[in-house]
Amino acid sequence: MSRIFSGIQPSGELHIGNYLGAVKNWVALQDQFETFICVVNYHAITVPYAPDELRTRTREMATGLLAAGIDPSRATLFVQSQVPEHTELAWVFNTLTPLGELERQTQFKDKAGRQEQIMAGLLNYPVLQAADILLYRADLVPVGEDQIQHLELSRVVARNWNARFSSDAPYFPEPQPRLTPMRRIVGLDGQAKMSKSIGNTIGLTESPDSIWDKLRPAVTDPARQKKTDAGDPEKCPVIYQLHRAFSPADTVAEVESNCRGAKWGCIECKKSLHTNLIADLAPIRERAAALAANPAEVDALLDAGASKARVVARQTMHEVKARMGLPEAQ
Ligand code: SF4
């Protein structure tokens, strides 16, 4: 069975952009692949942060993933800092990664531009990312288009290490991207990708009332000034996109017809979306509430996931050290 690795930042509660753009796909993939899902808290400390908040957000993210359908009996779910081999392998890869490769990374340039002082960890972030993936010798990484450049670096790292230490039979596979079916979820502002830092999200476990408060003022096709104006769903990036994700096919067809034919107002359209959205998310919200009430259960599941991940991680580091002439701790 091919192996898949995915990482997600501990940003707290999942939002529907994370869910549609990544997590829903992982839930499907866990039945087809040997799946490793990692809450990448070492990546989160490359920018200023508060320790207590990070701890809380890490558990919230794990809770969200479990509630959304990641099943610890089918996937290995764990927190990066609980598997020390990630940073150990990252150091090895740092010794083989040209500085120029890292300085060219678009995400580094974006993030560095926002920092007063640039720390080495921010520059080396993609090396740790390569270690995350290659530690499990993953064949595939589900990614959005914006992450392809980082994955390319992981392939370069694998190639460099293989050329130096296992040229006979490459030890590390060069991981391939598996593009997520829903690539970019537009936020409630109708402009930027849905992102917590922009504040244009709907939380996966938000209450129905709170979701309605966000949907009601969301931007629609500007041509629809009043109910009798015909519209074009393709020019309604937020509501139509969410109907297609959460409403049944006959409702999506009804939205098309009613919008183009000016047969209903945007509020009715949004109410229909709200009904379908909250029905779809209700089981997730219920599971998340049950898990949030029992944080010890979440911690125990993460501990078990880390133990499972470490079996593979230790084996990889054993092979790496043997080939590099590095004695191991006894
Ligand atoms: Fe958007 Fe629906 Fe209004 Fe059409 S009717 S513009 S799809 S909210």
Side-chain angles (χ1 to χ4, degrees):
M1 195 187 248
S2 296
R3 203 174 264 174
I4 236 172
F5 176 90
S6 290
I8 189 163
Q9 286 265 0
S11 54
E13 187 199 20
L14 281 169
H15 57 72
I16 59 174
N18 307 131
Y19 178 62
L20 296 174
V23 177
K24 201 174 175 191
N25 187 35
W26 300 348
V27 172
L29 293 175
Q30 67 187 345
D31 287 325
Q32 301 165 42
F33 299 98
E34 190 185 355
T35 302
F36 289 79
I37 295 171
C38 179
V39 182
V40 290
N41 55 349
Y42 274 137
H43 289 280
I45 63 171
T46 56
V47 290
Y49 75 101
D52 282 343
E53 245 179 59
L54 178 62
R55 196 173 292 116
T56 304
R57 285 193 277 114
T58 302
R59 192 189 281 125
E60 277 177 2
M61 177 52 73
T63 301
L65 291 169
L66 291 164
I70 299 300
D71 176 357
S73 70
R74 290 183 284 163
T76 305
L77 172 67
F78 63 102
V79 176
Q80 190 180 29
S81 63
Q82 290 189 297
V83 182
E85 287 79 7
H86 283 253
T87 44
E88 200 176 5
L89 187 59
W91 176 254
V92 165
F93 288 159
N94 267 319
T95 66
L96 292 165
T97 307
L99 188 58
E101 292 276 0
L102 298 176
E103 287 171 334
R104 265 199 296 280
Q105 297 290 312
T106 316
Q107 284 195 14
F108 168 69
K109 288 193 244 172
D110 288 351
K111 285 190 180 169
R114 285 183 251 139
Q115 307 292 322
E116 270 179 32
Q117 199 179 21
I118 302 162
M119 300 299 173
L122 192 61
L123 179 71
N124 293 343
Y125 184 113
V127 180
L128 180 57
Q129 205 165 43
D132 297 338
I133 298 164
L134 296 173
L135 190 58
Y136 303 96
R137 302 171 74 210
D139 310 287
L140 292 167
V141 181
V143 288
E145 271 161 352
D146 51 342
Q147 295 156 313
I148 286 183
Q149 192 184 31
H150 275 185
L151 189 58
E152 178 53 34
L153 187 88
S154 299
R155 283 204 293 276
V156 169
V157 167
R159 218 172 295 146
N160 288 350
W161 193 92
N162 287 338
R164 178 90 170 78
F165 299 107
S166 68
S167 52
D168 44 337
Y171 178 68
F172 287 114
E174 290 186 25
Q176 300 301 313
R178 189 181 160 105
L179 279 179
T180 47
M182 252 185 133
R183 289 176 195 171
R184 186 175 182 272
I185 308 303
V186 178
L188 289 167
D189 53 3
Q191 314 254 320
K193 182 176 166 178
M194 197 172 273
S195 160
K196 210 170 222 177
S197 58
I198 300 175
N200 60 358
T201 63
I202 293 174
L204 207 55
T205 57
E206 267 190 61
S207 72
D209 285 352
S210 167
I211 292 177
W212 178 246
D213 287 344
K214 288 181 171 179
L215 285 181
R216 197 168 33 81
V219 293
T220 59
D221 178 0
R224 295 212 74 195
Q225 294 296 317
K226 52 188 185 309
K227 197 171 169 178
T228 48
D229 291 333
D232 179 355
E234 299 296 342
K235 293 183 181 153
C236 179
V238 185
I239 304 301
Y240 188 52
Q241 143 191 272
L242 294 180
H243 262 300
R244 280 191 296 188
F246 290 103
S247 299
D250 55 346
T251 304
V252 176
E254 189 186 16
V255 171
E256 277 272 343
S257 162
N258 288 357
C259 181
R260 291 186 196 282
K263 289 186 243 167
W264 68 3
C266 289
I267 287 291
E268 285 166 279
C269 183
K270 288 173 176 177
K271 278 185 183 158
S272 157
L273 169 64
H274 182 249
T275 302
N276 292 318
L277 183 63
I278 61 172
D280 203 87
L281 297 184
I284 297 177
R285 203 168 42 245
E286 279 165 25
R287 280 196 296 270
L291 287 163
N294 192 358
E297 186 188 342
V298 176
D299 290 347
L301 289 170
L302 291 174
D303 288 348
S307 298
K308 238 167 104 186
R310 282 203 84 184
V311 172
V312 181
R314 281 203 192 104
Q315 181 60 31
T316 302
M317 284 315 299
H318 171 73
E319 298 280 349
V320 165
K321 286 179 170 176
R323 287 163 197 257
M324 295 181 73
L326 303 169
E328 289 188 80
Q330 293 306 308

